[in-house]
Amino acid sequence: MGMSWDDVVLIEKSKNSGDPTVVTVNCPDKAGLGCDLLRVVLEFGLYVTRGDFSTDGKWCYVILWVVPRPISLRVDWERLKKRLVSCCPSMIPAFYLDQLSSSSKQTPLYLLKVFSMDRRGLIHDVTKLLCDLELTIQRLKVMTTPDGKVLDLFFVTDSMNILQTKIGREETCEHLSVVLGECCISCEVEVAGPEYECQQVLSTIPELIAEKLFSCEFSVMEDASKVKEASVMVDNLLSPAHSLLQIQCRDQKGLIYDILRISKDCDIQIAYGRVSSSVNGVRSLELFIQNENGKKILNNENQSALCSRLKEEMMQPLRVMISNRGPDTELFVANPVELSGRGRPRVVYDVTFALKTLGICIFSAEIGRHSTLNREWEVYRFLLVENRKFPLTSKQAKQDIINKVRRTLMGW
């Protein structure tokens, strides 16, 4: 007798504000399942207070204790459950597989065109609504005209299939009109045809900027205080069949997702894992792992490569820097892309929120890709407009922007 789809993901909501909600996933295992689940959790703005993972290679059991961040964030738990179920391999009854069939297919790319009068915080307000509607921004192009108008082109994917129907597209535009108010001039949604495939080109970053932004020393230079707080060790004595990966580092947004993303990209299989609660801002993880052949990781070079990769990205999962472009100031943000091609969730949301908080307007913005020798990066470029309260000419002001953006991206 088959397992009910209702039992694949169970969510036990907290009774008191601030207490964790318990999310349990019980399903067949697949490579990278933990990464996929934690990605969805991050997309919903949830912080994992602690967690447990276990699998025998065929069946997987995951339990996460999560809280919204900020606490005031309203979470649609039913939508979260559907998204988590869609990550799980097919083992559920056929009547429910039909409902999820569209989730397994490659979702179409939609082009959202927003034409409006410019105002401070506009890009963030649009981005916030798109997050609420579970529309994932894949690419972005923002252009400001000399007469104070803005044309925003958002290339999005739709996890909830809202945009498949004409009614859904019209309702999305109505929501945007309400958010933008009198500033909104027009809004359109359409399927992005083949002519837009050229939009996903490699980002043309000046060579000197790329050299600094993607250098191996960048994370050490920018976050030297974290070096002593990041520890990664491999122990092959405790278990006869698995290597024990012990991780201890400063707690930050998306930490568990980043660790599982790297494990997935490196073909590391996690048989059992425990994520401990943060103590004085420091997280500890213990993962019993095997390589892609189901063996312990005994080779010293392989151990060193894995530990170095984890340590580097725990210290600096995102790169943030500011550069002058003639008289203008340009903000660069970069993060590694999963081997599947997916970028990090909520980056545009966090960056635009930080800039809105500082009262800084965005003159133009775009998202592109950049390849280095060992990985691909998603690169966000924002051309900034200063205001009287926050001039961009001083070195200190630029450092303040970097610090604010970094704290928003990495801090809860």
Side-chain angles (χ1 to χ4, degrees):
M1 184 173 179
M3 180 180 179
S4 169
W5 68 267
D6 277 320
D7 297 328
V8 174
V9 176
L10 299 176
I11 297 180
E12 183 181 342
K13 301 177 187 176
S14 63
K15 297 180 180 179
N16 302 313
S17 177
D19 290 343
T21 290
V22 182
V23 177
T24 304
V25 181
N26 189 17
C27 69
D29 197 13
K30 70 171 184 179
L33 176 61
C35 172
D36 297 343
L37 295 174
L38 266 296
R39 178 186 177 85
V40 172
V41 169
L42 183 59
E43 286 179 357
F44 275 74
L46 296 171
Y47 169 75
V48 178
T49 62
R50 59 192 179 100
D52 281 295
F53 311 81
S54 63
T55 179
D56 60 1
K58 296 181 179 180
W59 200 268
C60 178
Y61 184 78
V62 178
I63 181 167
L64 304 171
W65 288 261
V66 301
V67 293
R69 288 290 175 89
I71 295 298
S72 58
L73 178 69
R74 297 180 62 183
V75 179
D76 189 329
W77 297 105
E78 192 58 36
R79 277 191 175 185
L80 173 66
K81 178 173 181 174
K82 291 180 180 178
R83 289 288 306 282
L84 292 174
V85 170
S86 70
C87 294
C88 300
S90 300
M91 45 64 65
I92 46 185
F95 74 89
Y96 188 63
L97 287 176
D98 292 337
Q99 300 179 39
L100 293 178
S101 60
S102 57
S103 300
S104 61
K105 298 176 183 177
Q106 186 172 1
T107 55
L109 185 69
Y110 293 93
L111 171 60
L112 171 63
K113 301 179 185 177
V114 181
F115 188 49
S116 67
M117 300 299 297
D118 194 14
R119 66 168 172 80
R120 190 175 302 164
L122 181 136
I123 305 300
H124 176 71
D125 293 343
V126 175
T127 301
K128 182 178 185 302
L129 176 64
L130 297 182
C131 287
D132 292 342
L133 296 176
E134 292 187 54
L135 300 176
T136 303
I137 300 173
Q138 303 294 342
R139 301 193 289 281
L140 167 66
K141 187 77 172 179
V142 175
M143 297 163 283
T144 303
T145 64
D147 59 350
K149 296 184 179 67
V150 179
L151 175 61
D152 301 330
L153 303 179
F154 292 88
F155 295 85
V156 301
T157 50
D158 176 17
S159 62
M160 299 304 295
N161 300 323
I162 299 172
L163 303 180
Q164 282 191 348
T165 65
K166 181 179 179 181
I167 294 177
R169 293 191 290 270
E170 290 175 349
E171 289 179 348
T172 299
C173 287
E174 289 175 4
H175 289 311
L176 280 167
S177 296
V178 171
V179 168
L180 299 179
E182 296 179 354
C183 293
C184 186
I185 298 174
S186 66
C187 175
E188 301 176 15
V189 183
E190 62 185 36
V191 176
E195 65 272 20
Y196 293 110
E197 291 181 2
C198 61
Q199 292 288 334
Q200 188 149 347
V201 296
L202 296 181
S203 180
T204 53
I205 303 176
E207 184 176 349
L208 290 177
I209 293 176
E211 184 178 345
K212 180 180 179 181
L213 190 62
F214 303 110
S215 70
C216 296
E217 293 78 18
F218 182 89
S219 58
V220 177
M221 292 187 299
E222 297 296 326
D223 288 89
S225 62
K226 291 185 180 181
V227 176
K228 295 181 180 179
E229 297 182 24
S231 171
V232 184
M233 296 186 295
V234 176
D235 183 348
N236 278 307
L237 300 178
L238 192 61
S239 169
H242 301 85
S243 298
L244 172 59
L245 183 64
Q246 297 174 303
I247 300 173
Q248 188 176 74
C249 65
R250 181 185 296 183
D251 196 12
Q252 59 197 23
K253 185 184 296 185
L255 172 65
I256 305 170
Y257 161 74
D258 286 323
I259 292 172
L260 296 184
R261 169 180 57 81
I262 296 168
S263 300
K264 178 182 179 180
D265 289 349
C266 295
D267 290 325
I268 297 298
Q269 303 170 11
I270 301 175
Y272 174 77
R274 169 159 291 178
V275 181
S276 301
S277 300
S278 177
V279 178
N280 297 324
V282 176
R283 272 292 179 98
S284 296
L285 292 86
E286 292 186 339
L287 307 176
F288 286 85
I289 62 174
Q290 294 177 328
N291 60 22
E292 66 273 19
N293 298 318
K295 305 293 184 181
K296 298 172 69 171
I297 303 175
L298 298 173
N299 183 279
N300 289 333
E301 290 185 4
N302 293 341
Q303 290 182 23
S304 178
L306 175 62
C307 292
S308 296
R309 173 82 181 271
L310 284 165
K311 195 168 184 177
E312 176 188 345
E313 295 201 20
M314 286 188 305
M315 289 190 297
Q316 188 71 40
L318 299 111
R319 311 291 178 94
V320 183
M321 67 174 290
I322 278 183
S323 175
N324 293 327
R325 192 167 112 184
D328 301 317
T329 301
E330 192 165 20
L331 172 68
F332 292 85
V333 178
N335 62 264
V337 175
E338 294 180 27
L339 286 182
S340 62
R342 296 184 299 181
R344 189 184 184 86
R346 297 176 71 90
V347 174
V348 177
Y349 177 92
D350 285 338
V351 174
T352 54
F353 175 76
L355 295 176
K356 181 180 179 179
T357 303
L358 294 173
I360 297 174
C361 292
I362 300 170
F363 183 80
S364 66
E366 63 181 32
I367 304 175
R369 295 287 172 97
H370 181 89
S371 294
T372 57
L373 289 176
N374 59 351
R375 72 195 68 171
E376 186 174 11
W377 301 78
E378 194 154 57
V379 182
Y380 306 79
R381 302 178 64 172
F382 301 88
L383 192 62
L384 308 181
V385 179
E386 68 179 7
N387 59 66
R388 294 178 181 177
K389 293 183 179 180
F390 205 103
L392 302 177
T393 52
S394 72
K395 184 177 181 179
Q396 183 59 49
K398 294 175 182 177
Q399 188 60 49
D400 289 344
I401 295 172
I402 291 175
N403 292 340
K404 179 65 176 178
V405 170
R406 186 182 288 120
R407 283 196 299 268
T408 306
L409 285 166
M410 300 175 61
W412 287 103

